[in-house]
Amino acid sequence: MIYKKLPQWFLLILPAIIILAAVILIPLLFSLYSSFTSYRLTRPDTLFNWIGTFNYEKAVKSGVFWAAFGRTILFLTIALNLEMFLGLGLALLVSRVTRGQRMLRTIMMFPMMFSPVLVGFQFKFIFNDNVGLVNNALQSLGLSNSAIPWLVDEKLAMFSIIFAEVWMSTSVFAILILAGLFSIPQDPQEAAKVDGCTPWQSFRHITLPFIMPFIFIAMAIRSLDVARAYDIVQVMTNGGPARRTEILWTLIGRTGYVDAKMGYANAMGYVSIFLAIFFTIYFFKKLNAARVELGMAR
Amino acid sequence: MAQVILKNIVKNYGKLEVVHSINLDVAHNEFVVLVGPSGCGKSTTLRMIAGLESISGGEIIIGDNVVNNLPPRDRNISMVFQNYALYPHMTVRENLGFSLKIAKRDQTEIDKSVDEASKILSLEDYMDRKPGALSGGQRQRVAMGRAIVRHPDVFLFDEPLSNLDAKLRAQMRVEIKKLHQKIQTTIIYVTHDQVEAMTLADRIVIMRDGNIEQQGSPTQVFENPINTFVATFIGSPPMNLLPGRVGKNMLEFSGGLILPIPIDFKDIVKPGQDIILGFRADHIMPVGHDLTIDGDSAMIEMSVGVSEPLGTETLLYTQLAGQEILAKMLRPRIVQDGETLTFNLDLGQCNLFDAVTQRNLR
């Protein structure tokens, strides 16, 4: 019997290894392999047509790809910073509330409970240029007499998407920062008051360093989320019109499934992953530095 | 120059009143210790002086100003907290200089003050460490350093030594006393430890349940406690208390014990009055063990339950009139449990309390 020769520890972790290999390792290797072929979903035999790094060269030289890449970074930067500042403000306000705080915290989490697809539909309706709430309101109030093309104009469409994203995810920052605010010891804050700090100085010199680790944890998590943003954009604009709101994953999704060029899509996917990895490493470094600053890590 | 005056200070939390109209005058350069069991309102009082708690009634005056509505930063006070309250993200140097940096003093002045404070507290070797890399005693010294760099009018200490071990506590006690000699500032110090109160204070203020029970110099409150609470709270071991009754020219206790009335109280007590006799372990000692008695004394035979040898003295736990009492033996010898000894009670050092009001009859 063969299994008798296998060491016991290996037998015990074997089920986990098999499952992980089946659902993660094999698809990963398969997609990596296919990115070196001209694999098209419509012609399965192309899976064995090895074309070397052609897909990668094509992606790197493609203006469309880099435009989507740049737009993703822009989207990520603006959305994350807005969410951070709004979330910080929200957390600071909620932490001051003494009555009904628990209920406020729960209400604050409502946007997180919706599926991004639904949020996309909701804002697609709100920003619709003919029947949307925003235009309707602007016109009824007499602030505008034309239909503003919220989801058609390049800048306005980007704004609308960021607005939806911020609406949905600010509370992630707010909740994490609130947790940070609750974990701050009282004593240093009181010491700062006695030491002569104004409320702003207390915040700047005492509170902020204490909640920095929490901000960076939120940033790391959210940067991964936003870097793979797909659903909201897909629903609201489908990357259009004419690729004006095309971000990485709408481009990759379209290339892979609509155009059926899976090999090329996989190649773009692998390039894009570096973006996510870069942000993760960057924020974890920042997180660690902030923790060292507080003497929580060495 | 800054005296601190508390006039009818009241503190409520909702309907609950925790400090009941207390009055306290602290003179310039005086070292006042607020002492009492936990929950007596001493920390709340200190925090009201600091401005960390609002004042529900009355007036607090620091220097010549009523500070009731001033935020802590405008009161020119410094505070040392029980948990040190250092800024963990700053080095010792930055911690010390923080208040001056906030006040926008120039760097040379900050450096000078910080160096001076670090010398007073011998912190020179740790200036670039963060609080996390310091021991408890070092952190406490940084906390004190942070308080002295600003040259405040008043120092407030909120149980600063209670997180330290016994040996370090004794050491820091001496350092605080030295610090007061060096910097000559008004200090208000809160503790639940009567040893700290006795050793540090110019004046002890004993609080209970939001009231001031007694204030006075350490010897005054030790020798003449105003009531049985102060008698048992101040001094270690606590004062022995024996409930009894005044008879004809004598005091009667349960179990047939009869003692003469101490001479100071002869004209005060009336026959039939219920009283409590109070005396410290230092005033009841086995005969022949160095107790010098000026006036009246009484001889009592008691058997020793347990003895605690402490080196220079031995504490003897005995029973008298149904109460456990503590006696002391100087120049100790080994005492067997259950051994019967003859004790001398120094009546001139005894106090009599009214059994109903618990107040000293003197």
Side-chain angles (χ1 to χ4, degrees):
Chain A
M1 299 293 271
I2 303 168
Y3 74 85
K4 279 200 170 164
K5 288 175 190 165
L6 292 171
Q8 206 171 19
W9 60 265
F10 184 74
L11 274 178
L12 286 170
I13 58 170
L14 196 59
I17 290 179
I18 291 171
I19 291 167
L20 282 178
V23 302
I24 293 178
L25 194 61
I26 292 172
L28 202 65
L29 290 175
F30 178 76
S31 65
L32 184 63
Y33 162 76
S34 73
S35 70
F36 292 102
T37 69
S38 64
Y39 183 40
R40 296 179 72 107
L41 287 179
T42 46
R43 292 173 52 201
D45 55 310
T46 53
L47 184 55
F48 305 106
N49 183 19
W50 182 268
I51 55 169
T53 56
F54 178 82
N55 283 331
Y56 286 92
E57 284 164 34
K58 189 174 157 194
V60 171
K61 284 179 194 154
S62 157
V64 173
F65 174 73
W66 285 117
F69 197 94
R71 225 172 266 125
T72 307
I73 292 180
L74 183 76
F75 178 49
L76 197 140
T77 313
I78 297 177
L80 278 191
N81 280 303
L82 273 179
E83 284 171 19
M84 198 271 280
F85 281 114
L86 292 175
L88 179 62
L90 208 56
L92 287 171
L93 289 177
V94 172
S95 72
R96 287 296 181 96
V97 176
T98 46
R99 203 177 274 233
Q101 195 196 56
R102 194 179 285 263
M103 199 169 78
L104 268 180
R105 291 205 306 254
T106 314
I107 292 173
M108 210 162 75
M109 290 174 77
F110 280 174
M112 291 162 68
M113 297 173 190
F114 292 110
S115 148
V117 175
L118 291 179
V119 175
F121 277 120
Q122 169 194 316
F123 279 95
K124 187 178 188 177
F125 168 67
I126 288 173
F127 284 115
N128 186 293
D129 41 6
N130 289 318
V131 297
L133 275 180
V134 176
N135 276 351
N136 204 324
L138 288 177
Q139 283 165 10
S140 307
L141 291 170
L143 295 171
S144 156
N145 43 27
S146 60
I148 298 170
W150 288 106
L151 296 173
V152 179
D153 177 83
E154 180 169 4
K155 286 191 178 124
L156 287 178
M158 208 62 199
F159 165 83
S160 307
I161 292 171
I162 290 173
F163 191 94
E165 173 66 37
V166 168
W167 181 87
M168 185 173 69
S169 303
T170 292
S171 49
V172 178
F173 274 88
I175 296 287
L176 282 169
I177 293 173
L178 197 58
L181 286 173
F182 286 146
S183 75
I184 301 181
Q186 276 292 309
D187 285 0
Q189 309 221 57
E190 293 190 335
K193 274 189 206 165
V194 175
D195 266 350
C197 283
T198 59
W200 162 250
Q201 285 169 326
S202 292
F203 173 75
R204 163 76 189 73
H205 294 289
I206 311 300
T207 311
L208 200 56
F210 268 106
I211 56 174
M212 267 339 256
F214 292 85
I215 289 179
F216 285 125
I217 288 172
M219 282 277 195
I221 295 173
R222 291 292 305 146
S223 69
L224 283 177
D225 269 356
V226 180
R228 65 184 166 85
Y230 176 75
D231 20 28
I232 282 195
V233 183
Q234 182 67 25
V235 168
M236 284 178 74
T237 63
N238 192 15
R243 296 193 194 278
R244 281 170 202 161
T245 53
E246 190 86 291
I247 57 169
L248 276 173
W249 293 100
T250 58
L251 174 67
I252 293 167
R254 181 172 310 106
T255 311
Y257 294 107
V258 179
D259 303 348
K261 294 180 197 160
M262 197 45 100
Y264 182 40
N266 279 337
M268 288 196 288
Y270 273 97
V271 176
S272 311
I273 277 176
F274 287 111
L275 186 66
I277 293 175
F278 167 78
F279 274 106
T280 312
I281 291 175
Y282 175 75
F283 285 125
F284 266 95
K285 281 215 162 128
K286 285 283 203 187
L287 167 64
N288 219 34
R291 281 168 53 85
V292 169
E293 179 87 1
L294 284 174
M296 293 157 80
R298 275 174 219 298
Chain B
M1 291 290 282
Q3 82 271 30
V4 177
I5 301 169
L6 275 62
K7 276 188 195 160
N8 303 319
I9 287 299
V10 176
K11 177 67 189 178
N12 301 316
Y13 290 110
K15 280 184 186 149
L16 184 71
E17 191 173 290
V18 293
V19 175
H20 316 292
S21 189
I22 61 170
N23 288 287
L24 182 65
D25 277 22
V26 181
H28 174 67
N29 200 18
E30 193 178 13
F31 197 134
V32 167
V33 175
L34 303 183
V35 65
S38 47
C40 71
K42 57 192 191 299
S43 277
T44 309
T45 306
L46 191 77
R47 291 168 60 82
M48 284 194 282
I49 299 171
L52 295 169
E53 295 279 352
S54 61
I55 300 159
S56 309
E59 261 183 2
I60 293 182
I61 297 163
I62 298 177
D64 300 318
N65 307 316
V66 177
V67 297
N68 281 31
N69 297 314
L70 290 183
R73 63 174 183 276
D74 295 330
R75 297 188 182 196
N76 200 21
I77 41 135
S78 283
M79 186 152 168
V80 177
F81 293 82
Q82 180 176 358
N83 302 316
Y84 323 127
L86 300 177
Y87 309 125
H89 54 296
M90 299 181 196
T91 61
V92 171
R93 188 185 303 282
E94 288 164 341
N95 261 290
L96 293 178
F98 182 69
S99 60
L100 299 178
K101 194 178 127 195
I102 287 298
K104 302 211 165 59
R105 306 282 178 80
D106 43 273
Q107 194 58 46
T108 48
E109 192 195 335
I110 297 178
D111 290 343
K112 204 178 138 239
S113 296
V114 168
D115 284 347
E116 191 184 286
S118 68
K119 254 185 220 120
I120 292 176
L121 294 161
S122 21
L123 284 166
E124 291 104 322
D125 297 342
Y126 320 113
M127 294 305 276
D128 296 310
R129 287 203 207 163
K130 285 192 177 165
L134 298 177
S135 69
Q138 289 163 345
R139 284 181 208 185
Q140 194 55 62
R141 288 216 295 275
V142 177
M144 290 200 296
R146 194 172 61 180
I148 63 176
V149 286
R150 292 172 55 211
H151 301 291
D153 289 338
V154 183
F155 270 114
L156 306 174
F157 286 84
D158 188 6
E159 309 210 11
L161 305 184
S162 50
N163 281 3
L164 304 177
D165 64 57
K167 194 178 165 194
L168 207 50
R169 201 179 305 162
Q171 209 177 319
M172 291 301 291
R173 226 163 43 212
V174 178
E175 289 199 30
I176 290 176
K177 203 156 193 175
K178 281 185 192 158
L179 186 71
H180 183 230
Q181 289 168 354
K182 272 185 210 163
I183 59 175
Q184 302 280 317
T185 310
T186 312
I187 293 182
I188 303 175
Y189 186 110
V190 160
T191 180
H192 61 262
D193 181 354
Q194 58 87 25
V195 179
E196 276 170 39
M198 291 293 285
T199 52
L200 289 171
D202 292 333
R203 180 148 55 106
I204 294 182
V205 176
I206 298 139
M207 291 185 70
R208 178 171 63 159
D209 298 337
N211 292 304
I212 292 178
E213 295 281 320
Q214 187 176 6
Q215 41 179 309
S217 73
T219 33
Q220 273 169 357
V221 295
F222 184 79
E223 285 172 1
N224 291 310
I226 197 162
N227 55 25
T228 53
F229 169 74
V230 176
T232 48
F233 192 79
I234 294 292
S236 173
M239 188 179 274
N240 296 306
L241 296 177
L242 281 188
R245 172 169 293 190
V246 183
K248 267 199 171 167
N249 284 325
M250 59 188 172
L251 301 173
E252 299 164 354
F253 299 90
S254 68
L257 175 71
I258 289 172
L259 293 172
I261 299 173
I263 194 146
D264 293 353
F265 294 91
K266 275 231 161 77
D267 302 330
I268 302 173
V269 294
K270 296 177 218 64
Q273 188 179 2
D274 285 325
I275 48 92
I276 297 169
L277 177 74
F279 54 92
R280 296 204 177 269
D282 310 66
H283 303 124
I284 179 158
M285 292 196 191
V287 174
H289 278 265
D290 269 6
L291 179 65
T292 48
I293 297 173
D294 289 339
D296 293 345
S297 70
M299 301 265 250
I300 305 164
E301 277 208 346
M302 292 186 293
S303 74
V304 177
V306 176
S307 63
E308 277 186 344
L310 299 172
T312 52
E313 62 192 38
T314 293
L315 293 180
L316 305 172
Y317 290 77
T318 66
Q319 291 277 336
L320 185 62
Q323 300 285 319
E324 177 159 87
I325 69 159
L326 252 169
K328 214 175 245 185
M329 177 192 248
L330 297 177
R331 289 199 297 134
R333 62 170 177 83
I334 291 169
V335 178
Q336 303 298 326
D337 291 349
E339 189 179 331
T340 302
L341 296 171
T342 309
F343 289 82
N344 234 335
L345 173 63
D346 184 348
L347 287 168
Q349 299 289 340
C350 286
N351 279 286
L352 279 186
F353 302 94
D354 186 286
V356 182
T357 62
Q358 306 276 313
R359 295 186 73 81
N360 200 326
L361 290 166
R362 199 192 296 266

